[in-house]
Amino acid sequence: MLVFQDMEIYQIADDLSEDEFFEFCVANRDLRIERDPDKKIIIMAPVGSESGFYEGEAFGELRSWNVTSSEGVTLSPSAGFKLPNGATRAADATWISLERWEALTPEQKKKFLPITPDFAIEIRSETDKLKKLKAKMQEWIENGVRLAWLIDPIEQKTHIYRADGSIEILEGFERELSGEGVLKGFIFDLRLLRLP
């Protein structure tokens, strides 16, 4: 049964195994699909061009830093993670330390990773409800993400979530964000999010 709610479609299918859910995602690769802790499948609307630009800039800067630092692996918005709470989530950009990546088996790397990323970026799009995104950010942290940024171009705010449970809110995009102790030397200039 499909349920449409708040720009998301929920497919009630709590009886799918991990392998069946993975195959469902592969068969529907053009969709943005996640699964919540209750095993409900969430099919999200594609983002508009502006949001795609913001996501591209954030991912591109993270990947460029990673190519230079060679300290980990950067994954695109299509990469899924099986979280300890049972959810399968994806972010607009993620990074995993090389040590944790190399500890995964070749088979694990072919499917949704059974670990949380060290770092995640979520960018709010026009169709995203801020309350739901904040809950998702909290879920990332509660499941082991060490640093996460929720970048909100609509309100020109950045919410920084840290492993210690603290949340810092920065106003305006005339500033730089730091990767802190998680991504040493990574700086993201929010001014890059100005549309050409």
Side-chain angles (χ1 to χ4, degrees):
M1 176 176 74
L2 290 175
V3 180
F4 184 76
Q5 175 182 342
D6 294 333
M7 300 306 292
E8 296 177 350
I9 299 172
Y10 293 83
Q11 170 72 42
I12 310 304
D14 59 0
D15 59 341
L16 289 181
S17 70
E18 289 295 333
D19 287 338
E20 289 170 332
F21 176 62
F22 182 79
E23 291 304 319
F24 172 80
C25 293
V26 169
N28 295 282
R29 65 178 65 247
D30 294 333
L31 301 175
R32 294 173 49 148
I33 303 170
E34 294 183 341
R35 189 155 77 162
D36 73 12
D38 297 323
K39 305 296 185 200
K40 285 193 293 187
I41 296 173
I42 304 164
I43 302 173
M44 293 163 286
V47 299
S49 298
E50 285 185 2
S51 294
F53 169 80
Y54 302 139
E55 290 174 5
E57 289 298 305
F59 176 77
E61 289 295 301
L62 179 61
R63 186 179 185 290
S64 292
W65 167 82
N66 191 61
V67 166
T68 303
S69 73
S70 301
E71 293 190 13
V73 175
T74 310
L75 300 170
S76 76
S78 299
F81 295 86
K82 290 190 302 186
L83 304 183
N85 70 350
T88 301
R89 297 291 188 188
D92 294 319
T94 51
W95 180 85
I96 301 169
S97 70
L98 198 55
E99 177 183 359
R100 294 180 68 229
W101 174 259
E102 290 176 342
L104 295 166
T105 67
E107 188 59 35
Q108 288 174 320
K109 292 176 185 176
K110 290 178 184 174
K111 295 193 175 184
F112 300 133
L113 294 180
I115 61 171
T116 55
D118 293 280
F119 173 71
I121 301 174
E122 295 278 5
I123 309 254
R124 183 184 181 194
S125 71
E126 290 290 336
T127 58
D128 286 329
K129 300 285 186 191
L130 187 57
K131 182 178 179 182
K132 286 191 176 188
L133 271 182
K134 287 179 176 180
K136 186 177 177 183
M137 299 305 286
Q138 198 63 49
E139 182 180 41
W140 280 122
I141 294 296
E142 288 170 359
N143 282 274
V145 171
R146 295 165 51 205
L147 178 67
W149 300 341
L150 168 55
I151 300 174
D152 182 354
I154 298 166
E155 295 186 7
Q156 298 269 305
K157 291 182 182 178
T158 303
H159 305 251
I160 300 173
Y161 292 74
R162 296 184 178 93
D164 65 5
S166 66
I167 302 169
E168 181 179 5
I169 300 173
L170 304 176
E171 302 272 351
F173 278 12
E174 299 295 320
R175 63 175 66 241
E176 295 178 335
L177 303 178
S178 164
E180 302 178 7
V182 179
L183 300 104
K184 294 175 183 164
F186 178 51
I187 300 294
F188 181 66
D189 189 342
L190 287 165
R191 285 172 284 236
L192 291 171
L193 299 184
R194 292 184 185 138
L195 286 165

